[in-house]
Amino acid sequence: MGVQIPNTLHDIGEVYIETDLLIIGGGNAGCFAAIEAKQTNSNLKVTIMEKAHIDRSGCLAGGMDAINTYLKKGRTIEEFVRWSRSQAGGIIREDLSITMAELLNKPIEDWEKWGMPIKYDEDGDEYKARGKWDITISGSEMKPILAEKTRESGCEIINRVVATNYIVQEGKVVGAYGLGIRDGKFYIIKAKATIIATGGAAGLYKPYQGDGQDSHHQLWYCPYNVGSGYAMGIRQGAEMTTFEMRWCATRTKDFNGPIDTISLGYKTPMINGKGEKILEERYAHLGGDAAPRFIRANVPMEEWREGRGPCFVDTTVMTPEQVREMKYDYLNERPTFVLFLASQAQDIRKEPIEIYGSDPYIVGGHTASGYWIDVKRATTLPGLYACGDVAGGAPNKFVGGCAAEGIIAARAAAEFCSQHAEESSISKEKIAAEKARVFAPALRFQDVGDGVKPGEMEERLQRLMDEYAGGVHQFFRMNKEGLQYALRHIARLKDQTKYLISSDLHQLMAAHEIIDRLDVADVLVHHLLFREETRWPGWQTRTDFPEKNDEAFDCFVNSRYHADTGKVEIFTKPYEQIIPGDRLKP
């Protein structure tokens, strides 16, 4: 039986920790940040606050079969930035992409030294390529390897503690509060500098596999990454960017697994229900198989909508040896997909694998959505740095780029620590207020016994976003009226969070997950509403503004939430080109 939540706030235990550098999130970027911080200054006290357990947390928890961005021999940083820029429709922070690319290979090569197997070509001289920028790995144990190296570095690791809000004094972030989901205690962690590395936001939209009961999280992206890092920054007025560049991907239908393993790794074409090679025959003018990611991701949905579905990756062209190797690759990243195929008795040499669109995510490692940061990865909140999926501006980071950003953020945060004295003690009033907010759903359940369960509110949010803010059931399409409807009802749901109840610590965590998702969804819809054009079909399709409008929107759309008014301010930032050339061509 789990820990029982006391009946009063007074009886809920508190844990007070002081550290130099607090890293929130022990995934890929967070672990690399911790290791780098200790290497930069071995005397620095570094503390990781992790929601799960760092051995199997974050997007890499189940492993990977490839590293999607690595500068191979003969490739240059300029070439990488041009490619990334073209894949994102010409909107990226080139300064961030350059500084990230400068360190892109380091974490991958370190990982190999620590024990992660990377495949080599037949000559054994170079890493085995999978596409222009990908290399293949046997990464089922990559996260435990990284976690062990993190422990060896001498960091303090606090597992099973969920961050709930930043501690802010005089406009500066000086740590964070947390909820112990095993011990039921309230954590107050004071720090000279803080790095946020909590990943992106999943579960905002209803997935097409959802049954309305217990399948809210049958997703492609890590379902435990709920946008808490974004939400904590939003509530404190941090500047955010490009939320409207959502990540909507093509995935294996009914399983929601990645298809790059098949399409890139084994050169299987994407076909429609009529057997046509879609990209080659219908999208050649946009680059065919090399078209931008948002085009390729939207193709199956457009084919369905225009009456040429269903769509597939044509695995019938694969050899028996390739099928065996492909299944081995999936055992490194999505082992249950092999079981999924077996459960259907599907021979993929005779029957191609069906594909479909995913629910949309906000994930700064794939697109440009997240905190607005400088080249040192400092956010607009003093004392706070962001890296990985939670950091905006630099899409196509993937595993290597997120790790590189962790390194960059750690170096800057360590320097910040050396230049700033310890802050004064945190006021008891602030601690009491956050403690009361965090435990309110649990105490409300004990006092009243009736209210709104987290899963019920999550189901309502997911349906709302899916139907009115461009979800997969709407073929990712949206208009002004629908977005305005979504905003009105998000505001209603945010007001109704005062009725949330939690019967145990897990449900208390879930209550705060839906609170965080609502804050992220609010900002996201404001971004989608403001950009009155269609720049990334699929990721951001406005049926009322179907064309791109460079005159008005060749820029970044940024936002800032004002807690005193409850309003989201939307504004633009100009594009600054560093690498010359046509921004839409690699």
Side-chain angles (χ1 to χ4, degrees):
M1 188 173 181
V3 173
Q4 295 297 306
I5 301 173
N7 294 323
T8 67
L9 277 176
H10 177 75
D11 294 326
I12 295 171
E14 295 180 1
V15 178
Y16 191 92
I17 297 171
E18 291 195 18
T19 189
D20 294 319
L21 174 59
L22 172 62
I23 300 172
I24 306 174
N28 171 21
C31 283
F32 269 100
I35 294 167
E36 184 65 24
K38 291 297 287 185
Q39 290 178 347
T40 300
N41 181 356
S42 60
N43 294 321
L44 203 67
K45 183 180 180 183
V46 178
T47 302
I48 297 177
M49 175 168 33
E50 166 57 42
K51 178 180 183 177
H53 191 290
I54 67 165
D55 282 2
R56 290 288 185 183
S57 63
C59 296
L60 305 186
M64 294 286 289
D65 65 351
I67 300 295
N68 297 111
T69 45
Y70 182 87
L71 294 182
K72 301 166 190 170
K73 188 176 181 179
R75 299 290 186 190
T76 66
I77 290 173
E78 290 78 9
E79 190 178 5
F80 171 78
V81 174
R82 288 193 185 97
W83 168 80
S84 181
R85 187 172 62 189
S86 68
Q87 290 294 305
I91 300 291
I92 68 170
R93 282 277 301 278
E94 297 188 21
D95 56 342
L96 299 181
S97 294
I98 291 169
T99 52
M100 178 265 288
E102 289 170 348
L103 287 171
L104 192 56
N105 290 7
K106 173 181 167 32
I108 306 308
E109 292 164 3
D110 284 345
W111 230 322
E112 183 182 30
K113 293 175 187 175
W114 300 337
M116 182 182 73
I118 301 180
K119 297 181 182 180
Y120 280 76
D121 60 20
E122 293 181 357
D123 297 329
D125 298 326
E126 302 290 338
Y127 293 145
K128 183 180 178 181
R130 194 190 80 172
K132 190 173 184 179
W133 302 101
D134 302 29
I135 59 173
T136 57
I137 65 173
S138 296
S140 64
E141 304 305 307
M142 64 192 306
K143 189 63 207 303
I145 291 169
L146 179 58
E148 183 59 30
K149 193 66 181 179
T150 305
R151 278 190 287 268
E152 289 177 6
S153 71
C155 301
E156 177 183 30
I157 300 168
I158 307 171
N159 290 311
R160 311 293 185 186
V161 177
V162 179
T164 61
N165 256 330
Y166 296 127
I167 302 171
V168 178
Q169 293 199 144
E170 298 178 356
K172 176 185 172 185
V173 174
V174 294
Y177 302 105
L179 164 65
I181 56 175
R182 288 293 186 269
D183 60 17
K185 295 179 180 179
F186 182 61
Y187 284 72
I188 305 103
I189 305 179
K190 185 182 173 187
K192 293 179 182 176
T194 302
I195 295 176
I196 186 70
T198 50
L204 302 179
Y205 287 81
K206 183 180 179 66
Y208 66 83
Q209 302 98 325
D211 61 6
Q213 298 296 320
D214 56 2
S215 295
H216 295 185
H217 302 132
Q218 191 178 344
L219 314 172
W220 160 75
Y221 190 61
C222 178
Y224 310 108
N225 291 3
V226 304
S228 296
Y230 298 136
M232 292 193 298
I234 288 168
R235 290 193 286 264
Q236 296 297 333
E239 189 171 336
M240 299 289 169
T241 189
T242 325
F243 271 39
E244 74 279 12
M245 189 194 286
R246 309 174 302 169
W247 178 254
C248 310
T250 298
R251 293 292 175 250
T252 54
K253 190 173 184 296
D254 301 321
F255 182 82
N256 223 339
I259 69 160
D260 281 359
T261 301
I262 315 169
S263 60
L264 281 179
Y266 298 95
K267 310 298 182 186
T268 55
M270 191 184 298
I271 60 174
N272 61 21
K274 300 181 182 298
E276 299 170 321
K277 294 181 179 179
I278 309 169
L279 289 167
E280 181 181 318
E281 298 180 25
R282 292 189 171 276
Y283 292 85
H285 63 292
L286 296 175
D289 290 326
R293 285 182 180 271
F294 57 89
I295 297 294
R296 287 180 282 144
N298 196 41
V299 159
M301 306 307 289
E302 285 298 292
E303 293 297 294
W304 265 96
R305 196 175 66 85
E306 294 177 10
R308 294 187 295 271
C311 295
F312 308 87
V313 282
D314 189 7
T315 50
T316 64
V317 301
M318 297 173 68
T319 67
E321 178 63 20
Q322 286 177 323
V323 170
R324 189 193 70 82
E325 291 181 359
M326 184 271 288
K327 289 182 178 179
Y328 172 81
D329 288 339
Y330 270 110
L331 289 174
N332 280 290
E333 181 174 354
R334 289 292 196 281
T336 49
F337 184 61
V338 179
L339 297 177
F340 174 77
L341 293 175
S343 71
Q344 300 192 111
Q346 183 174 350
D347 182 349
I348 63 173
R349 291 196 64 222
K350 298 178 180 178
E351 182 182 354
I353 294 175
E354 189 176 0
I355 56 177
Y356 202 70
S358 72
D359 48 307
Y361 310 101
I362 308 302
V363 49
H366 288 60
T367 66
S369 50
Y371 281 83
W372 183 258
I373 53 177
D374 66 16
V375 291
K376 291 186 175 183
R377 274 50 186 183
T379 72
T380 57
L381 299 178
L384 179 66
Y385 298 80
C387 58
D389 283 352
V390 80
N396 302 305
K397 288 182 285 214
F398 305 116
V399 176
C402 288
E405 278 202 331
I407 294 171
I408 297 169
R411 291 173 180 176
E415 181 184 11
F416 185 92
C417 288
S418 69
Q419 296 173 350
H420 291 78
E422 188 173 312
E423 294 291 326
S424 59
S425 60
I426 306 161
S427 74
K428 292 181 179 179
E429 290 77 15
K430 284 186 176 182
I431 294 173
E434 178 63 8
K435 185 178 181 180
R437 187 190 76 88
V438 168
F439 287 90
L443 298 180
R444 186 178 299 119
F445 174 76
Q446 294 177 7
D447 291 341
V448 181
D450 191 22
V452 179
K453 297 177 181 178
E456 294 170 339
M457 186 168 286
E458 183 183 77
E459 168 69 11
R460 177 64 184 125
L461 171 65
Q462 288 187 345
R463 288 186 58 191
L464 177 68
M465 295 294 288
D466 178 66
E467 294 170 7
Y468 298 97
V472 65
H473 292 91
Q474 303 301 321
F475 296 91
F476 305 135
R477 302 159 77 82
M478 67 199 82
N479 62 20
K480 177 180 178 180
E481 291 75 18
L483 293 169
Q484 289 176 333
Y485 181 97
L487 283 177
R488 291 194 302 271
H489 285 262
I490 288 171
R492 181 179 298 175
L493 287 172
K494 290 176 74 171
D495 180 64
Q496 291 173 349
T497 58
K498 62 190 177 188
Y499 302 121
L500 281 169
I501 56 172
S502 305
S503 58
D504 55 35
L505 289 171
H506 181 81
Q507 286 299 302
L508 183 56
M509 176 185 70
H512 287 284
E513 288 180 338
I514 185 58
I515 290 170
D516 290 345
R517 282 185 170 117
L518 283 166
D519 286 336
V520 175
D522 188 22
V523 171
L524 166 59
V525 177
H526 275 91
H527 276 252
L528 292 169
L529 184 61
F530 184 86
R531 189 176 279 278
E532 294 182 336
E533 63 163 358
T534 296
R535 183 163 294 267
W536 308 284
W539 291 356
Q540 177 262 339
T541 301
R542 286 289 298 267
T543 56
D544 46 353
F545 296 97
E547 304 298 327
K548 189 168 66 170
N549 183 351
D550 281 332
E551 184 177 347
F553 292 107
D554 186 18
C555 59
F556 296 96
V557 173
N558 287 15
S559 62
R560 184 183 295 109
Y561 174 74
H562 295 275
D564 55 340
T565 63
K567 302 296 184 182
V568 177
E569 176 191 4
I570 299 287
F571 50 97
T572 62
K573 289 286 182 73
Y575 192 94
E576 296 184 11
Q577 185 167 352
I578 299 173
I579 304 298
D582 186 337
R583 284 162 43 203
L584 298 180
K585 293 182 179 180

